[in-house]
Amino acid sequence: MIPMLETPGSEALRVELAAFTGPLDLLLHLIKEQEMDIYDIRLEKLTEQYLARLDKMREENLAIAGEFLVMAATLLYLKSRTLLPVQDRPPEEVEEEDPKWELIRQLIEYRKFKEAAGQLGEREALHSRIFGRVPERVTTSPALMGPGQVSMFDLVWAFQKVLRSVEERAKAGRFSDEQFTVGQKIEFLLDRLQPGEEILFEDLFRSMSSRGEVVVTFLAMLELIRLRQLIAKQEGPLKPILIQRAVDPVLDAPSALGEGAGQASVDSPV
Amino acid sequence: MEWARVLEALLFAATEPMEPSRLAAILREGPEGGQGWPEVKEQEVRDELAQLSERLAPRGLILREVAGGFRIGTAPDLSGWVAKLKGVARPPRLSPPALETMAVIAYRQPISRAEVEAVRGVDCSGTLDTLVERGVIRITGRSEAPGRPILYGTTPLFLEHFGLKDLEELPNSEELRRVKLPAPADPGGPKQEELIHEASEPAPQS
Amino acid sequence: MEWARVLEALLFAATEPMEPSRLAAILREGPEGGQGWPEVKEQEVRDELAQLSERLAPRGLILREVAGGFRIGTAPDLSGWVAKLKGVARPPRLSPPALETMAVIAYRQPISRAEVEAVRGVDCSGTLDTLVERGVIRITGRSEAPGRPILYGTTPLFLEHFGLKDLEELPNSEELRRVKLPAPADPGGPKQEELIHEASEPAPQS
């Protein structure tokens, strides 16, 4: 990932500057480029090269991270110090070891971790080529969970229950009573409920004498719900169902059905 | 087949059932930046899948044909073992009302909400929302009926969950599709005839 | 082994690396509502895993030992094929700066931000955030040092991402763990002082 620079041309330099992970990285690169021994760095040469790179960065209008400038200051300080005769150095430093060793140590340690990072990168490259099995739970969006532990038996049983209740309802009264038509009951419902008004579901049927009338009225109600003239509401399971007349009925209201409605009719069922 | 190991790797890593035609297409195209086997035919893939199925049997894995494609899964008799693994927890079961709605849709799709409600005799908007959210039903189009109501049908996930190759595999599908149901708007209208027509093929019973 | 097919089904279905000891425990316990093999030993499981690994090789799959457990994956040479599948994405690779930060943390955990920065010589808050976000490092506690800075360490996902069995498998781990690091609290050069200043403030938690 770190390109080795042969010629510091402007194009190459741009690539290079983006690639250096920090001032230590740049210093290591310069040491290698100048074929210096890391234990015997020539501070003057290194500082000169380093500052030249920063100048190039400035010319290229690249944002120079603050750390690069701090390092430049450190290098200048170390260089200036080598120019001073030993007797002119601050007395507390005469006894101490050359502070450039601190930089060298830092460079050596950094280089070890940089190499380790390179090895990690190689491992990463290899192992990113191995794919595990993606659990279904993760691949389908969290909302798409399937029906849970429902068996085919449950499904058939549920459908047969529906059919039974239909039969019961059919036995209890004929589905289409001669006396009532769905059209009549639609009018009845629209008459009974003014826009915005609501009524308990059971109350709608209270006055009705025959089961046939109930069924036809129910069908009329379903039709009106389908046409968005009526709205069936329930606050929760086992709570009473309320039927409300829409305030501003919209005959064709796909927006009420959510975002999926817009893309309808493309997919045919399997 | 020299591409047999590619086939098994693809089936292993796939996130959805793989159709033999698509597997053949991938094998012909080759990998990213590489060469494939341009002569691979769908029938050869099918033959190889049949062999793979046999090889998997003694290994606790099975090749299932679901939702029009093939998918490797654990053998059904080992489900009690697999259930002990962390992270394979199943989503909660559907409630009985939701199950009823799903059953009606499975057998009578495409079907509108009003039609489902006419059959079940209760408001189904909540259960329909649940089923769409769970990914087992989806909006498949719009009816030509007045108001152009939205129609619902089952998804590939529905087939996958129940291990069905296609809807014909639903138990008693012929009979249950033919049963006359109450229609919401116009009893005895053209919808019924359409439904009967749909169930013209015999369905295998599971 | 009569339980070999159970073993393969478990490894297939697992969503995380499976430790041999845990596999042995599951085999002993038995399935939900069923009988297991009470005499299964961890070593037998390890032997069977070695055999499974050999059986998988010609089939485009491999058994990897990562993060203390075993996991089935697709063979590396087939990555170009698998990458063509819908929904299968390679985890993006880490950038060179992130890798450097990763390396310092991997070898020197638990470690504070200031300590990482002392090694790398640059501000590391961005790369630390990235690594936490990717799930390869996490906050493991607080140092007793002044300012009680937050300490970072690697996660099991780190081992998995880099295909490592454990931290001992890190290359040159002995040497790099021993190397004396430039201490951020050592009032040496001007740069060090800056870091001390930073480290004295409570580190922001990402």
Side-chain angles (χ1 to χ4, degrees):
Chain A
M1 283 291 147
I2 316 276
M4 285 304 142
L5 255 230
E6 267 81 34
T7 50
S10 66
E11 209 28 57
L13 192 67
R14 193 189 289 279
V15 177
E16 172 202 358
L17 293 172
F20 287 119
T21 61
L24 295 172
D25 198 19
L26 174 54
L27 278 178
L28 279 184
H29 171 75
L30 293 174
I31 288 167
K32 197 172 171 192
E33 196 183 61
Q34 301 295 316
E35 295 177 340
M36 287 184 203
D37 178 355
I38 196 166
Y39 293 98
D40 186 24
I41 52 173
R42 283 162 285 148
L43 262 177
E44 203 167 340
K45 181 91 179 152
L46 193 61
T47 306
E48 183 189 305
Q49 291 285 324
Y50 186 92
L51 294 176
R53 290 300 166 103
L54 289 203
D55 280 343
K56 276 277 184 195
M57 284 161 102
R58 244 188 297 265
E59 277 169 34
E60 299 283 326
N61 284 320
L62 292 171
I64 300 170
E67 293 94 350
F68 283 91
L69 300 175
V70 173
M71 180 58 76
T74 307
L75 287 171
L76 285 169
Y77 162 73
L78 292 176
K79 193 186 88 169
S80 68
R81 202 181 162 282
T82 58
L83 301 176
L84 285 177
V86 176
Q87 62 267 30
D88 292 346
R89 286 181 193 170
E92 67 274 13
E93 279 189 15
V94 178
E95 305 292 306
E96 286 176 17
E97 63 171 353
D98 191 338
K100 91 171 178 192
W101 281 106
E102 197 186 312
L103 178 64
I104 289 170
R105 253 200 310 274
Q106 201 183 2
L107 278 170
I108 289 168
E109 277 148 20
Y110 168 74
R111 190 171 63 175
K112 284 183 181 143
F113 285 102
K114 184 175 146 64
E115 281 164 6
Q119 283 167 319
L120 275 181
E122 281 164 28
R123 285 198 79 102
E124 183 186 45
L126 171 66
H127 286 274
S128 73
R129 290 164 61 207
I130 299 172
F131 294 89
R133 204 176 63 88
V134 183
E136 286 150 62
R137 238 168 356 100
V138 176
T139 56
T140 44
S141 96
L144 302 184
M145 299 184 295
Q149 283 202 324
V150 172
S151 70
M152 184 61 75
F153 175 81
D154 293 320
L155 187 70
V156 175
W157 181 82
F159 194 70
Q160 275 159 356
K161 196 175 147 211
V162 172
L163 292 180
R164 251 200 318 278
S165 73
V166 168
E167 277 164 26
E168 277 164 23
R169 278 183 282 154
K171 251 184 267 166
R174 284 162 297 157
F175 259 108
S176 48
D177 198 302
E178 309 298 315
Q179 284 177 286
F180 306 97
T181 65
V182 173
Q184 279 174 353
K185 285 298 173 188
I186 285 178
E187 276 177 43
F188 160 78
L189 288 169
L190 292 178
D191 197 45
R192 179 82 170 69
L193 284 166
Q194 295 307 306
E197 202 183 329
E198 58 182 34
I199 186 171
L200 269 177
F201 177 80
E202 293 97 296
D203 288 352
L204 265 182
F205 303 95
R206 202 142 282 172
S207 64
M208 297 180 186
S209 51
S210 84
R211 285 175 190 274
E213 187 182 1
V214 171
V215 172
V216 173
T217 307
F218 180 66
L219 294 177
M221 193 187 76
L222 290 176
E223 179 65 9
L224 286 172
I225 289 173
R226 195 171 65 123
L227 295 171
R228 308 266 156 207
Q229 300 274 335
L230 296 182
I231 300 157
K233 298 192 297 189
Q234 191 178 23
E235 279 177 7
L238 306 177
K239 292 271 170 65
I241 296 170
L242 287 169
I243 303 299
Q244 187 186 35
R245 173 92 180 263
V247 181
D248 183 16
V250 183
L251 284 184
D252 191 3
S255 60
L257 286 151
E259 293 172 12
Q263 49 157 49
S265 82
V266 182
D267 300 339
S268 61
V270 184
Chain B
M1 287 299 149
E2 51 187 335
W3 40 263
R5 60 190 287 272
V6 179
L7 197 68
E8 189 161 348
L10 287 173
L11 286 167
F12 173 84
T15 58
E16 53 183 6
M18 297 292 289
E19 288 157 33
S21 60
R22 225 180 107 220
L23 286 165
I26 293 177
L27 289 169
R28 282 193 296 265
E29 275 169 37
E32 272 181 2
Q35 282 285 309
W37 289 274
E39 74 293 346
V40 173
K41 302 215 170 25
E42 184 181 330
Q43 190 51 50
E44 291 175 292
V45 171
R46 285 190 181 274
D47 294 347
E48 191 60 48
L49 287 169
Q51 285 184 36
L52 175 62
S53 181
E54 276 171 38
R55 287 201 303 273
L56 289 175
R59 281 167 34 202
L61 302 178
I62 57 158
L63 190 66
R64 283 191 300 161
E65 190 176 356
V66 286
F70 286 83
R71 175 152 216 183
I72 297 180
T74 53
D77 64 305
L78 301 180
S79 66
W81 292 96
V82 176
K84 298 201 82 178
L85 290 172
K86 203 170 78 181
V88 288
R90 295 278 141 74
R93 284 173 61 110
L94 287 177
S95 67
L99 200 55
E100 274 186 31
T101 300
M102 192 167 84
V104 174
I105 293 171
Y107 283 98
R108 306 311 281 252
Q109 61 189 295
I111 188 169
S112 70
R113 187 178 92 170
E115 288 168 321
V116 177
E117 287 174 340
V119 176
R120 291 198 50 227
V122 285
D123 177 81
C124 293
S125 52
T127 55
L128 282 170
D129 286 350
T130 305
L131 295 171
V132 169
E133 222 169 81
R134 295 282 200 103
V136 287
I137 66 165
R138 66 176 172 198
I139 293 164
T140 58
R142 274 178 182 279
S143 163
E144 291 303 316
R148 305 210 61 223
I150 275 169
L151 297 173
Y152 294 91
T154 54
T155 63
L157 187 66
F158 165 80
L159 293 175
E160 219 188 310
H161 181 83
F162 289 102
L164 295 166
K165 200 160 36 166
D166 50 43
L167 289 171
E168 295 306 314
E169 264 199 341
L170 278 170
N172 308 324
S173 68
E174 205 189 342
E175 186 204 333
L176 290 176
R177 282 194 201 161
R178 228 196 290 259
V179 171
K180 195 165 184 292
L181 296 181
D186 180 12
K191 183 84 185 99
Q192 297 301 325
E193 264 157 322
E194 241 176 87
L195 285 168
I196 292 163
H197 174 69
E198 233 178 83
S200 58
E201 276 175 48
Q205 196 161 334
S206 76
Chain C
M1 287 297 150
E2 49 187 336
W3 39 263
R5 61 190 287 271
V6 178
L7 196 69
E8 187 163 347
L10 288 173
L11 285 167
F12 176 87
T15 56
E16 51 184 8
M18 296 292 289
E19 289 157 34
S21 60
R22 227 181 104 220
L23 286 166
I26 293 176
L27 289 168
R28 282 193 297 267
E29 274 170 36
E32 269 182 5
Q35 281 285 308
W37 288 274
E39 76 291 349
V40 173
K41 303 213 170 23
E42 185 181 328
Q43 190 51 52
E44 291 174 295
V45 170
R46 284 188 181 274
D47 295 345
E48 191 60 46
L49 286 170
Q51 287 185 35
L52 175 62
S53 181
E54 279 171 37
R55 286 201 303 273
L56 288 175
R59 282 168 32 205
L61 302 177
I62 58 159
L63 189 66
R64 275 198 300 171
E65 188 173 1
V66 285
F70 287 81
R71 185 154 201 197
I72 298 179
T74 56
D77 65 304
L78 300 180
S79 67
W81 294 95
V82 178
K84 297 197 79 176
L85 291 171
K86 204 170 82 182
V88 175
R90 287 168 216 249
R93 311 242 320 249
L94 295 175
S95 69
L99 269 177
E100 273 185 27
T101 302
M102 187 75 248
V104 177
I105 294 172
Y107 286 97
R108 304 312 283 252
Q109 57 189 302
I111 187 168
S112 70
R113 188 180 89 168
E115 287 168 319
V116 178
E117 287 174 339
V119 176
R120 291 198 51 222
V122 282
D123 176 79
C124 295
S125 51
T127 54
L128 282 170
D129 286 351
T130 305
L131 295 172
V132 168
E133 231 168 73
R134 291 284 301 268
V136 287
I137 66 166
R138 65 178 170 204
I139 292 164
T140 57
R142 272 175 183 282
S143 163
E144 291 304 315
R148 307 211 61 222
I150 278 172
L151 297 172
Y152 295 90
T154 55
T155 64
L157 190 65
F158 160 76
L159 295 173
E160 229 187 306
H161 185 76
F162 291 96
L164 294 162
K165 203 164 31 169
D166 49 40
L167 289 172
E168 296 305 315
E169 244 203 348
L170 280 169
N172 310 323
S173 65
E174 216 184 325
E175 187 202 338
L176 281 172
R177 283 195 201 157
R178 229 196 304 248
V179 168
K180 194 169 181 287
L181 297 186
D186 175 15
K191 174 169 166 315
Q192 302 295 343
E193 249 145 12
E194 227 186 358
L195 285 168
I196 292 161
H197 175 67
E198 245 176 76
S200 62
E201 280 169 36
Q205 192 160 336
S206 64

